[in-house]
Amino acid sequence: MTVRRTVFGRPLRGVAFDVAVAALVVLVSLAAAVNQPGGWAATAVGVGMAVALLFRRTHPSAVTVAVAALALIQVIARWGPLIYDVAVLIALYSVVKYGRRLRDGVLAGAVAAVGVLLAAAQTPNVIQWWVTALWYALVTGAVWLVALNVRTRRLYVLSLEERATTLEREREAESRAAVAEERTRIARELHDVVAHSMAVMIVQADGARFMLDRDPAQARTAVKVVADTGRQALEEMRRLVGVLRDAGPAGSDGADGLAVAADPEHRRLALAELPDLLARFDDAGLHVRSTVTGVPPALPPGLELTVYRVVQEALTNALKHAGVGAGAEVVLSHTAEAVVVRVVDDGRGRPLVSPAPSGGHGLLGMRERVTVYDGSLTAGPQLTGGWQVEVRLPLPSEPATEVIAA
């Protein structure tokens, strides 16, 4: 890290340069007391100009006014142009370069043009007047143009620095937003893992308790489903919580940490696992039939996960509300434009011994997932009984690369 030394809030190097310039003007002013008209009075004018130049960076307009006023005294006293009048050019350069508004530099240039005419008026004849006026005008104009060029470059560099700072802030904000979005997605996955797995476990545990004396073999099967479901849920929760722990604070390496979910070593739920999902619900007492129509296209990972979670959520709701022994049908239709998921239950199952807890976010979670992909969701009871959930997810026009946290 570079430490910049300052004096009164100004860079030390700039202050030292301004002091050196003022000291030089004082020295040449002292020469005016001995060798040039005006004597000590002219020297006092030069010293005043030198003192004013000390503030040329912080108050360029005021410095220009002060130097111009002292130069006017010199003209009125008819001391003629002296060597310390270089302070006039330095003040002109400063107001053009450091002035807040360019019009201050333009006004200073106009005043300098009048000063050129007044200084040239002290020459004895017309030819010398023209030569002197042309010379002063060329020098003054050159100084003004150089200052304008330096000002333009200075403002350009400042704009680049400001733009770089803005881009850095935007990049940090985007990184924090990406981390927040991924963490929200992981929280949603945690809800799915806990809510769905606990619902299946509660149903099976109630069934095992009910069948413990009547059919011990079936009770043992139900207990095994509880154990398998619990182990799978624990594995998912450990993986997702591990991603959150490895993510680090938002805005640092959080986005990279959350991207670990895309690592091949971390299992991603896909449509190929739908049969296993349906089998688990069938073991839990929900008789599920599945139908697939059309040719399944290659779906983006996020869209594939959305289809999986919609089926999982809909079947979980059917198990909780339709009861054990209910029938459900999952229809997955593939077209060139969209994927349509339809889950229907008949509502004819046996009520649970104790109701499974509900997270209260089932349909809201599905709707949120579907909205991300500009899809539509309809859900409601059927006239013949039961419940129906239908989701339509349009296919993206171009394949996209996504980072999935499940």
Side-chain angles (χ1 to χ4, degrees), residues 17-26 28 46 49-57 59-61 63-65 67-68 83-99 108 112 139-140 142-144 147:
F17 181 80
D18 291 344
V19 170
V21 170
L24 181 62
V25 174
V26 169
V28 297
M49 291 183 177
V51 172
L53 291 180
L54 291 174
F55 308 95
R56 68 187 187 91
R57 297 176 190 265
H59 303 85
S61 298
V63 169
T64 302
V65 171
V67 172
I83 189 172
Y84 62 69
D85 286 332
V86 69
V88 177
L89 298 178
I90 296 175
L92 177 63
Y93 176 90
S94 301
V95 73
V96 175
K97 179 180 178 181
Y98 299 111
V139 173
T140 304
V143 170
W144 194 92

mmCIF file of all heavy atoms in Angstrom, residues 17-26 28 46 49-57 59-61 63-65 67-68 83-99 108 112 139-140 142-144 147:
data_model
loop_
_atom_site.group_PDB
_atom_site.id
_atom_site.type_symbol
_atom_site.label_atom_id
_atom_site.label_comp_id
_atom_site.label_asym_id
_atom_site.label_seq_id
_atom_site.Cartn_x
_atom_site.Cartn_y
_atom_site.Cartn_z
ATOM 1 N N PHE A 17 6.746 21.963 -4.777
ATOM 2 C CA PHE A 17 6.916 22.596 -6.090
ATOM 3 C C PHE A 17 6.396 24.028 -6.069
ATOM 4 O O PHE A 17 7.048 24.950 -6.608
ATOM 5 C CB PHE A 17 6.186 21.769 -7.144
ATOM 6 C CG PHE A 17 6.316 22.315 -8.539
ATOM 7 C CD1 PHE A 17 7.465 22.088 -9.289
ATOM 8 C CD2 PHE A 17 5.299 23.079 -9.101
ATOM 9 C CE1 PHE A 17 7.596 22.592 -10.576
ATOM 10 C CE2 PHE A 17 5.424 23.594 -10.384
ATOM 11 C CZ PHE A 17 6.577 23.347 -11.120
ATOM 12 N N ASP A 18 5.237 24.256 -5.463
ATOM 13 C CA ASP A 18 4.666 25.609 -5.417
ATOM 14 C C ASP A 18 5.541 26.553 -4.595
ATOM 15 O O ASP A 18 5.708 27.737 -4.941
ATOM 16 C CB ASP A 18 3.252 25.568 -4.832
ATOM 17 C CG ASP A 18 2.265 24.885 -5.774
ATOM 18 O OD1 ASP A 18 2.594 24.735 -6.961
ATOM 19 O OD2 ASP A 18 1.171 24.498 -5.319
ATOM 20 N N VAL A 19 6.120 26.039 -3.509
ATOM 21 C CA VAL A 19 7.022 26.864 -2.694
ATOM 22 C C VAL A 19 8.263 27.235 -3.502
ATOM 23 O O VAL A 19 8.744 28.385 -3.445
ATOM 24 C CB VAL A 19 7.402 26.117 -1.405
ATOM 25 C CG1 VAL A 19 8.527 26.854 -0.663
ATOM 26 C CG2 VAL A 19 6.184 25.983 -0.494
ATOM 27 N N ALA A 20 8.772 26.276 -4.281
ATOM 28 C CA ALA A 20 9.946 26.563 -5.108
ATOM 29 C C ALA A 20 9.634 27.619 -6.162
ATOM 30 O O ALA A 20 10.441 28.534 -6.417
ATOM 31 C CB ALA A 20 10.430 25.275 -5.774
ATOM 32 N N VAL A 21 8.454 27.528 -6.799
ATOM 33 C CA VAL A 21 8.062 28.519 -7.800
ATOM 34 C C VAL A 21 7.930 29.897 -7.157
ATOM 35 O O VAL A 21 8.412 30.915 -7.696
ATOM 36 C CB VAL A 21 6.734 28.111 -8.466
ATOM 37 C CG1 VAL A 21 6.185 29.246 -9.333
ATOM 38 C CG2 VAL A 21 6.944 26.871 -9.320
ATOM 39 N N ALA A 22 7.281 29.967 -5.977
ATOM 40 C CA ALA A 22 7.118 31.250 -5.294
ATOM 41 C C ALA A 22 8.470 31.823 -4.895
ATOM 42 O O ALA A 22 8.704 33.051 -5.008
ATOM 43 C CB ALA A 22 6.216 31.067 -4.069
ATOM 44 N N ALA A 23 9.374 30.960 -4.428
ATOM 45 C CA ALA A 23 10.702 31.451 -4.042
ATOM 46 C C ALA A 23 11.453 32.014 -5.248
ATOM 47 O O ALA A 23 12.159 33.035 -5.141
ATOM 48 C CB ALA A 23 11.491 30.306 -3.400
ATOM 49 N N LEU A 24 11.310 31.382 -6.401
ATOM 50 C CA LEU A 24 11.957 31.884 -7.612
ATOM 51 C C LEU A 24 11.420 33.254 -7.994
ATOM 52 O O LEU A 24 12.196 34.165 -8.368
ATOM 53 C CB LEU A 24 11.744 30.893 -8.759
ATOM 54 C CG LEU A 24 12.370 31.265 -10.097
ATOM 55 C CD1 LEU A 24 13.894 31.364 -9.975
ATOM 56 C CD2 LEU A 24 12.001 30.248 -11.173
ATOM 57 N N VAL A 25 10.103 33.428 -7.891
ATOM 58 C CA VAL A 25 9.514 34.730 -8.201
ATOM 59 C C VAL A 25 9.999 35.789 -7.217
ATOM 60 O O VAL A 25 10.259 36.952 -7.584
ATOM 61 C CB VAL A 25 7.970 34.627 -8.184
ATOM 62 C CG1 VAL A 25 7.340 36.010 -8.368
ATOM 63 C CG2 VAL A 25 7.492 33.690 -9.280
ATOM 64 N N VAL A 26 10.172 35.424 -5.935
ATOM 65 C CA VAL A 26 10.679 36.379 -4.939
ATOM 66 C C VAL A 26 12.106 36.796 -5.292
ATOM 67 O O VAL A 26 12.474 37.982 -5.196
ATOM 68 C CB VAL A 26 10.621 35.755 -3.530
ATOM 69 C CG1 VAL A 26 11.398 36.619 -2.527
ATOM 70 C CG2 VAL A 26 9.191 35.600 -3.077
ATOM 71 N N VAL A 28 13.614 36.900 -8.252
ATOM 72 C CA VAL A 28 13.675 37.822 -9.391
ATOM 73 C C VAL A 28 13.029 39.156 -9.030
ATOM 74 O O VAL A 28 13.354 40.202 -9.634
ATOM 75 C CB VAL A 28 12.996 37.203 -10.626
ATOM 76 C CG1 VAL A 28 13.723 35.942 -11.063
ATOM 77 C CG2 VAL A 28 11.525 36.892 -10.360
ATOM 78 N N GLY A 46 6.083 42.130 -6.859
ATOM 79 C CA GLY A 46 6.536 40.785 -7.206
ATOM 80 C C GLY A 46 6.385 39.806 -6.053
ATOM 81 O O GLY A 46 5.978 38.648 -6.246
ATOM 82 N N MET A 49 2.806 38.787 -5.762
ATOM 83 C CA MET A 49 2.473 37.760 -6.745
ATOM 84 C C MET A 49 2.974 36.385 -6.301
ATOM 85 O O MET A 49 2.279 35.363 -6.443
ATOM 86 C CB MET A 49 3.083 38.115 -8.107
ATOM 87 C CG MET A 49 2.451 39.312 -8.788
ATOM 88 S SD MET A 49 3.205 39.589 -10.424
ATOM 89 C CE MET A 49 2.243 40.973 -11.027
ATOM 90 N N ALA A 50 4.223 36.359 -5.737
ATOM 91 C CA ALA A 50 4.799 35.089 -5.295
ATOM 92 C C ALA A 50 3.967 34.472 -4.173
ATOM 93 O O ALA A 50 3.707 33.262 -4.170
ATOM 94 C CB ALA A 50 6.243 35.321 -4.834
ATOM 95 N N VAL A 51 3.533 35.280 -3.216
ATOM 96 C CA VAL A 51 2.715 34.759 -2.111
ATOM 97 C C VAL A 51 1.381 34.211 -2.641
ATOM 98 O O VAL A 51 0.893 33.165 -2.208
ATOM 99 C CB VAL A 51 2.477 35.855 -1.058
ATOM 100 C CG1 VAL A 51 1.478 35.383 -0.002
ATOM 101 C CG2 VAL A 51 3.797 36.240 -0.399
ATOM 102 N N ALA A 52 0.797 34.919 -3.598
ATOM 103 C CA ALA A 52 -0.472 34.459 -4.163
ATOM 104 C C ALA A 52 -0.318 33.118 -4.862
ATOM 105 O O ALA A 52 -1.216 32.259 -4.797
ATOM 106 C CB ALA A 52 -1.015 35.508 -5.136
ATOM 107 N N LEU A 53 0.834 32.885 -5.512
ATOM 108 C CA LEU A 53 1.041 31.631 -6.244
ATOM 109 C C LEU A 53 1.082 30.402 -5.329
ATOM 110 O O LEU A 53 0.912 29.277 -5.806
ATOM 111 C CB LEU A 53 2.326 31.704 -7.065
ATOM 112 C CG LEU A 53 2.300 32.660 -8.264
ATOM 113 C CD1 LEU A 53 3.644 32.634 -8.983
ATOM 114 C CD2 LEU A 53 1.177 32.299 -9.229
ATOM 115 N N LEU A 54 1.302 30.610 -4.034
ATOM 116 C CA LEU A 54 1.300 29.478 -3.114
ATOM 117 C C LEU A 54 -0.063 28.784 -3.059
ATOM 118 O O LEU A 54 -0.148 27.618 -2.677
ATOM 119 C CB LEU A 54 1.700 29.947 -1.710
ATOM 120 C CG LEU A 54 3.160 30.400 -1.535
ATOM 121 C CD1 LEU A 54 3.362 30.984 -0.136
ATOM 122 C CD2 LEU A 54 4.123 29.235 -1.773
ATOM 123 N N PHE A 55 -1.116 29.483 -3.435
ATOM 124 C CA PHE A 55 -2.487 28.947 -3.362
ATOM 125 C C PHE A 55 -3.082 28.695 -4.743
ATOM 126 O O PHE A 55 -4.291 28.605 -4.893
ATOM 127 C CB PHE A 55 -3.384 29.918 -2.578
ATOM 128 C CG PHE A 55 -2.829 30.295 -1.235
ATOM 129 C CD1 PHE A 55 -2.079 31.451 -1.080
ATOM 130 C CD2 PHE A 55 -3.042 29.474 -0.140
ATOM 131 C CE1 PHE A 55 -1.564 31.797 0.159
ATOM 132 C CE2 PHE A 55 -2.536 29.816 1.100
ATOM 133 C CZ PHE A 55 -1.787 30.983 1.258
ATOM 134 N N ARG A 56 -2.237 28.554 -5.746
ATOM 135 C CA ARG A 56 -2.727 28.478 -7.112
ATOM 136 C C ARG A 56 -3.495 27.179 -7.395
ATOM 137 O O ARG A 56 -4.352 27.158 -8.280
ATOM 138 C CB ARG A 56 -1.562 28.615 -8.100
ATOM 139 C CG ARG A 56 -0.601 27.443 -8.100
ATOM 140 C CD ARG A 56 0.618 27.690 -8.959
ATOM 141 N NE ARG A 56 1.441 26.485 -9.079
ATOM 142 C CZ ARG A 56 1.312 25.584 -10.028
ATOM 143 N NH1 ARG A 56 0.372 25.735 -10.960
ATOM 144 N NH2 ARG A 56 2.094 24.534 -10.080
ATOM 145 N N ARG A 57 -3.230 26.106 -6.655
ATOM 146 C CA ARG A 57 -3.929 24.838 -6.890
ATOM 147 C C ARG A 57 -5.290 24.799 -6.201
ATOM 148 O O ARG A 57 -6.239 24.248 -6.748
ATOM 149 C CB ARG A 57 -3.077 23.654 -6.397
ATOM 150 C CG ARG A 57 -1.751 23.498 -7.122
ATOM 151 C CD ARG A 57 -0.950 22.362 -6.501
ATOM 152 N NE ARG A 57 0.418 22.323 -6.995
ATOM 153 C CZ ARG A 57 0.840 21.567 -8.001
ATOM 154 N NH1 ARG A 57 -0.012 20.779 -8.619
ATOM 155 N NH2 ARG A 57 2.111 21.600 -8.375
ATOM 156 N N HIS A 59 -7.038 27.597 -4.860
ATOM 157 C CA HIS A 59 -7.894 28.747 -5.165
ATOM 158 C C HIS A 59 -7.392 29.427 -6.440
ATOM 159 O O HIS A 59 -6.919 30.579 -6.417
ATOM 160 C CB HIS A 59 -7.898 29.751 -4.007
ATOM 161 C CG HIS A 59 -8.343 29.154 -2.700
ATOM 162 N ND1 HIS A 59 -7.480 28.481 -1.858
ATOM 163 C CD2 HIS A 59 -9.572 29.127 -2.107
ATOM 164 C CE1 HIS A 59 -8.147 28.075 -0.794
ATOM 165 N NE2 HIS A 59 -9.416 28.449 -0.914
ATOM 166 N N PRO A 60 -7.475 28.736 -7.575
ATOM 167 C CA PRO A 60 -6.880 29.291 -8.805
ATOM 168 C C PRO A 60 -7.538 30.588 -9.263
ATOM 169 O O PRO A 60 -6.845 31.500 -9.734
ATOM 170 C CB PRO A 60 -7.074 28.165 -9.824
ATOM 171 C CG PRO A 60 -8.204 27.347 -9.284
ATOM 172 C CD PRO A 60 -8.094 27.419 -7.813
ATOM 173 N N SER A 61 -8.840 30.703 -9.145
ATOM 174 C CA SER A 61 -9.527 31.922 -9.604
ATOM 175 C C SER A 61 -9.134 33.120 -8.756
ATOM 176 O O SER A 61 -8.848 34.205 -9.283
ATOM 177 C CB SER A 61 -11.046 31.715 -9.572
ATOM 178 O OG SER A 61 -11.430 30.667 -10.443
ATOM 179 N N VAL A 63 -6.409 33.482 -6.974
ATOM 180 C CA VAL A 63 -5.005 33.792 -7.251
ATOM 181 C C VAL A 63 -4.875 34.593 -8.545
ATOM 182 O O VAL A 63 -4.111 35.565 -8.629
ATOM 183 C CB VAL A 63 -4.184 32.490 -7.321
ATOM 184 C CG1 VAL A 63 -2.779 32.760 -7.881
ATOM 185 C CG2 VAL A 63 -4.086 31.859 -5.940
ATOM 186 N N THR A 64 -5.632 34.200 -9.569
ATOM 187 C CA THR A 64 -5.569 34.922 -10.849
ATOM 188 C C THR A 64 -6.032 36.360 -10.691
ATOM 189 O O THR A 64 -5.432 37.296 -11.258
ATOM 190 C CB THR A 64 -6.444 34.192 -11.889
ATOM 191 O OG1 THR A 64 -5.989 32.849 -12.024
ATOM 192 C CG2 THR A 64 -6.363 34.892 -13.230
ATOM 193 N N VAL A 65 -7.095 36.570 -9.919
ATOM 194 C CA VAL A 65 -7.585 37.937 -9.679
ATOM 195 C C VAL A 65 -6.528 38.756 -8.956
ATOM 196 O O VAL A 65 -6.249 39.923 -9.313
ATOM 197 C CB VAL A 65 -8.894 37.893 -8.869
ATOM 198 C CG1 VAL A 65 -9.289 39.309 -8.429
ATOM 199 C CG2 VAL A 65 -10.008 37.280 -9.702
ATOM 200 N N VAL A 67 -3.199 38.293 -8.805
ATOM 201 C CA VAL A 67 -2.033 38.551 -9.672
ATOM 202 C C VAL A 67 -2.378 39.577 -10.737
ATOM 203 O O VAL A 67 -1.560 40.471 -11.064
ATOM 204 C CB VAL A 67 -1.554 37.223 -10.296
ATOM 205 C CG1 VAL A 67 -0.477 37.492 -11.359
ATOM 206 C CG2 VAL A 67 -1.001 36.300 -9.224
ATOM 207 N N ALA A 68 -3.591 39.471 -11.323
ATOM 208 C CA ALA A 68 -3.999 40.447 -12.341
ATOM 209 C C ALA A 68 -4.077 41.853 -11.753
ATOM 210 O O ALA A 68 -3.691 42.850 -12.408
ATOM 211 C CB ALA A 68 -5.342 40.042 -12.933
ATOM 212 N N ILE A 83 10.677 40.828 -15.134
ATOM 213 C CA ILE A 83 10.900 39.388 -15.249
ATOM 214 C C ILE A 83 9.950 38.592 -14.357
ATOM 215 O O ILE A 83 9.566 37.473 -14.670
ATOM 216 C CB ILE A 83 12.377 39.063 -14.943
ATOM 217 C CG1 ILE A 83 12.659 37.600 -15.287
ATOM 218 C CG2 ILE A 83 12.707 39.374 -13.491
ATOM 219 C CD1 ILE A 83 14.123 37.241 -15.213
ATOM 220 N N TYR A 84 9.563 39.185 -13.217
ATOM 221 C CA TYR A 84 8.653 38.428 -12.348
ATOM 222 C C TYR A 84 7.226 38.379 -12.880
ATOM 223 O O TYR A 84 6.354 37.759 -12.271
ATOM 224 C CB TYR A 84 8.668 38.967 -10.917
ATOM 225 C CG TYR A 84 8.218 40.401 -10.757
ATOM 226 C CD1 TYR A 84 6.885 40.761 -10.967
ATOM 227 C CD2 TYR A 84 9.115 41.385 -10.357
ATOM 228 C CE1 TYR A 84 6.474 42.067 -10.801
ATOM 229 C CE2 TYR A 84 8.708 42.679 -10.192
ATOM 230 C CZ TYR A 84 7.386 43.026 -10.413
ATOM 231 O OH TYR A 84 6.978 44.317 -10.248
ATOM 232 N N ASP A 85 6.970 39.036 -14.023
ATOM 233 C CA ASP A 85 5.636 38.949 -14.633
ATOM 234 C C ASP A 85 5.330 37.548 -15.159
ATOM 235 O O ASP A 85 4.210 37.270 -15.608
ATOM 236 C CB ASP A 85 5.509 39.965 -15.768
ATOM 237 C CG ASP A 85 5.369 41.381 -15.237
ATOM 238 O OD1 ASP A 85 4.850 41.519 -14.110
ATOM 239 O OD2 ASP A 85 5.766 42.323 -15.933
ATOM 240 N N VAL A 86 6.340 36.679 -15.083
ATOM 241 C CA VAL A 86 6.062 35.270 -15.397
ATOM 242 C C VAL A 86 4.990 34.727 -14.454
ATOM 243 O O VAL A 86 4.294 33.749 -14.775
ATOM 244 C CB VAL A 86 7.364 34.445 -15.296
ATOM 245 C CG1 VAL A 86 7.834 34.338 -13.856
ATOM 246 C CG2 VAL A 86 7.172 33.064 -15.876
ATOM 247 N N ALA A 87 4.798 35.366 -13.291
ATOM 248 C CA ALA A 87 3.737 34.958 -12.362
ATOM 249 C C ALA A 87 2.357 35.087 -12.998
ATOM 250 O O ALA A 87 1.433 34.330 -12.667
ATOM 251 C CB ALA A 87 3.812 35.797 -11.085
ATOM 252 N N VAL A 88 2.206 36.045 -13.916
ATOM 253 C CA VAL A 88 0.931 36.197 -14.621
ATOM 254 C C VAL A 88 0.646 34.965 -15.474
ATOM 255 O O VAL A 88 -0.477 34.434 -15.488
ATOM 256 C CB VAL A 88 0.946 37.473 -15.493
ATOM 257 C CG1 VAL A 88 -0.347 37.592 -16.292
ATOM 258 C CG2 VAL A 88 1.158 38.709 -14.629
ATOM 259 N N LEU A 89 1.671 34.483 -16.170
ATOM 260 C CA LEU A 89 1.494 33.283 -16.986
ATOM 261 C C LEU A 89 1.221 32.053 -16.118
ATOM 262 O O LEU A 89 0.406 31.188 -16.468
ATOM 263 C CB LEU A 89 2.736 33.053 -17.845
ATOM 264 C CG LEU A 89 3.068 34.169 -18.850
ATOM 265 C CD1 LEU A 89 4.353 33.839 -19.608
ATOM 266 C CD2 LEU A 89 1.924 34.378 -19.814
ATOM 267 N N ILE A 90 1.911 31.956 -14.964
ATOM 268 C CA ILE A 90 1.683 30.811 -14.061
ATOM 269 C C ILE A 90 0.256 30.838 -13.522
ATOM 270 O O ILE A 90 -0.423 29.797 -13.438
ATOM 271 C CB ILE A 90 2.697 30.836 -12.907
ATOM 272 C CG1 ILE A 90 4.121 30.664 -13.461
ATOM 273 C CG2 ILE A 90 2.378 29.754 -11.878
ATOM 274 C CD1 ILE A 90 5.216 30.802 -12.405
ATOM 275 N N ALA A 91 -0.244 32.024 -13.167
ATOM 276 C CA ALA A 91 -1.616 32.143 -12.671
ATOM 277 C C ALA A 91 -2.622 31.782 -13.763
ATOM 278 O O ALA A 91 -3.630 31.101 -13.499
ATOM 279 C CB ALA A 91 -1.862 33.557 -12.158
ATOM 280 N N LEU A 92 -2.342 32.234 -15.000
ATOM 281 C CA LEU A 92 -3.225 31.889 -16.111
ATOM 282 C C LEU A 92 -3.255 30.382 -16.339
ATOM 283 O O LEU A 92 -4.325 29.778 -16.525
ATOM 284 C CB LEU A 92 -2.748 32.613 -17.383
ATOM 285 C CG LEU A 92 -3.528 32.313 -18.671
ATOM 286 C CD1 LEU A 92 -4.972 32.776 -18.544
ATOM 287 C CD2 LEU A 92 -2.843 32.982 -19.873
ATOM 288 N N TYR A 93 -2.084 29.768 -16.316
ATOM 289 C CA TYR A 93 -1.995 28.310 -16.469
ATOM 290 C C TYR A 93 -2.778 27.584 -15.362
ATOM 291 O O TYR A 93 -3.502 26.627 -15.620
ATOM 292 C CB TYR A 93 -0.523 27.904 -16.443
ATOM 293 C CG TYR A 93 -0.286 26.405 -16.490
ATOM 294 C CD1 TYR A 93 -0.146 25.742 -17.696
ATOM 295 C CD2 TYR A 93 -0.196 25.657 -15.311
ATOM 296 C CE1 TYR A 93 0.082 24.375 -17.741
ATOM 297 C CE2 TYR A 93 0.026 24.295 -15.350
ATOM 298 C CZ TYR A 93 0.164 23.660 -16.562
ATOM 299 O OH TYR A 93 0.374 22.309 -16.599
ATOM 300 N N SER A 94 -2.666 28.093 -14.153
ATOM 301 C CA SER A 94 -3.306 27.436 -13.008
ATOM 302 C C SER A 94 -4.819 27.513 -13.077
ATOM 303 O O SER A 94 -5.515 26.531 -12.789
ATOM 304 C CB SER A 94 -2.809 28.070 -11.700
ATOM 305 O OG SER A 94 -1.402 27.946 -11.596
ATOM 306 N N VAL A 95 -5.359 28.677 -13.462
ATOM 307 C CA VAL A 95 -6.822 28.796 -13.466
ATOM 308 C C VAL A 95 -7.435 27.967 -14.591
ATOM 309 O O VAL A 95 -8.551 27.446 -14.457
ATOM 310 C CB VAL A 95 -7.244 30.277 -13.586
ATOM 311 C CG1 VAL A 95 -6.998 30.819 -14.996
ATOM 312 C CG2 VAL A 95 -8.709 30.444 -13.207
ATOM 313 N N VAL A 96 -6.715 27.809 -15.704
ATOM 314 C CA VAL A 96 -7.235 26.968 -16.787
ATOM 315 C C VAL A 96 -7.170 25.491 -16.381
ATOM 316 O O VAL A 96 -8.111 24.722 -16.624
ATOM 317 C CB VAL A 96 -6.450 27.206 -18.087
ATOM 318 C CG1 VAL A 96 -6.908 26.236 -19.176
ATOM 319 C CG2 VAL A 96 -6.649 28.639 -18.561
ATOM 320 N N LYS A 97 -6.084 25.082 -15.728
ATOM 321 C CA LYS A 97 -5.911 23.675 -15.384
ATOM 322 C C LYS A 97 -6.732 23.260 -14.172
ATOM 323 O O LYS A 97 -7.385 22.205 -14.182
ATOM 324 C CB LYS A 97 -4.428 23.396 -15.119
ATOM 325 C CG LYS A 97 -4.160 21.942 -14.731
ATOM 326 C CD LYS A 97 -2.681 21.697 -14.475
ATOM 327 C CE LYS A 97 -2.445 20.238 -14.041
ATOM 328 N NZ LYS A 97 -1.008 19.987 -13.772
ATOM 329 N N TYR A 98 -6.728 24.070 -13.124
ATOM 330 C CA TYR A 98 -7.338 23.650 -11.863
ATOM 331 C C TYR A 98 -8.703 24.285 -11.589
ATOM 332 O O TYR A 98 -9.345 23.930 -10.595
ATOM 333 C CB TYR A 98 -6.405 23.994 -10.686
ATOM 334 C CG TYR A 98 -5.073 23.319 -10.757
ATOM 335 C CD1 TYR A 98 -3.919 24.057 -11.002
ATOM 336 C CD2 TYR A 98 -4.951 21.948 -10.579
ATOM 337 C CE1 TYR A 98 -2.674 23.446 -11.067
ATOM 338 C CE2 TYR A 98 -3.708 21.325 -10.651
ATOM 339 C CZ TYR A 98 -2.569 22.085 -10.890
ATOM 340 O OH TYR A 98 -1.348 21.464 -10.957
ATOM 341 N N GLY A 99 -9.129 25.218 -12.429
ATOM 342 C CA GLY A 99 -10.408 25.870 -12.179
ATOM 343 C C GLY A 99 -11.575 24.887 -12.234
ATOM 344 O O GLY A 99 -11.564 23.915 -13.003
ATOM 345 N N ALA A 108 -10.250 34.360 -17.757
ATOM 346 C CA ALA A 108 -8.870 34.739 -17.465
ATOM 347 C C ALA A 108 -8.089 34.980 -18.747
ATOM 348 O O ALA A 108 -7.251 35.903 -18.821
ATOM 349 C CB ALA A 108 -8.203 33.644 -16.645
ATOM 350 N N ALA A 112 -6.237 38.391 -19.806
ATOM 351 C CA ALA A 112 -4.833 38.371 -20.231
ATOM 352 C C ALA A 112 -4.660 39.067 -21.573
ATOM 353 O O ALA A 112 -3.651 39.754 -21.805
ATOM 354 C CB ALA A 112 -4.335 36.934 -20.308
ATOM 355 N N VAL A 139 2.937 34.123 -26.669
ATOM 356 C CA VAL A 139 3.343 33.454 -25.428
ATOM 357 C C VAL A 139 2.127 33.152 -24.557
ATOM 358 O O VAL A 139 1.961 32.035 -24.043
ATOM 359 C CB VAL A 139 4.361 34.327 -24.664
ATOM 360 C CG1 VAL A 139 4.652 33.713 -23.289
ATOM 361 C CG2 VAL A 139 5.649 34.465 -25.464
ATOM 362 N N THR A 140 1.252 34.159 -24.409
ATOM 363 C CA THR A 140 0.061 33.969 -23.565
ATOM 364 C C THR A 140 -0.865 32.899 -24.148
ATOM 365 O O THR A 140 -1.387 32.035 -23.424
ATOM 366 C CB THR A 140 -0.699 35.293 -23.417
ATOM 367 O OG1 THR A 140 0.194 36.289 -22.883
ATOM 368 C CG2 THR A 140 -1.887 35.124 -22.488
ATOM 369 N N ALA A 142 -0.034 30.415 -26.131
ATOM 370 C CA ALA A 142 0.596 29.094 -26.006
ATOM 371 C C ALA A 142 0.399 28.538 -24.594
ATOM 372 O O ALA A 142 0.067 27.354 -24.408
ATOM 373 C CB ALA A 142 2.082 29.188 -26.345
ATOM 374 N N VAL A 143 0.593 29.406 -23.587
ATOM 375 C CA VAL A 143 0.396 28.959 -22.201
ATOM 376 C C VAL A 143 -1.052 28.520 -21.979
ATOM 377 O O VAL A 143 -1.327 27.495 -21.346
ATOM 378 C CB VAL A 143 0.793 30.081 -21.218
ATOM 379 C CG1 VAL A 143 0.371 29.724 -19.794
ATOM 380 C CG2 VAL A 143 2.295 30.329 -21.287
ATOM 381 N N TRP A 144 -1.991 29.303 -22.516
ATOM 382 C CA TRP A 144 -3.415 28.985 -22.326
ATOM 383 C C TRP A 144 -3.751 27.634 -22.984
ATOM 384 O O TRP A 144 -4.453 26.803 -22.391
ATOM 385 C CB TRP A 144 -4.263 30.100 -22.917
ATOM 386 C CG TRP A 144 -5.703 30.052 -22.496
ATOM 387 C CD1 TRP A 144 -6.266 30.689 -21.438
ATOM 388 C CD2 TRP A 144 -6.763 29.318 -23.136
ATOM 389 N NE1 TRP A 144 -7.609 30.412 -21.355
ATOM 390 C CE2 TRP A 144 -7.947 29.569 -22.389
ATOM 391 C CE3 TRP A 144 -6.836 28.493 -24.238
ATOM 392 C CZ2 TRP A 144 -9.177 29.007 -22.729
ATOM 393 C CZ3 TRP A 144 -8.062 27.927 -24.583
ATOM 394 C CH2 TRP A 144 -9.211 28.181 -23.840
ATOM 395 N N ALA A 147 -2.252 24.700 -21.043
ATOM 396 C CA ALA A 147 -3.039 24.455 -19.835
ATOM 397 C C ALA A 147 -4.354 23.757 -20.162
ATOM 398 O O ALA A 147 -4.787 22.852 -19.429
ATOM 399 C CB ALA A 147 -3.308 25.779 -19.115
#
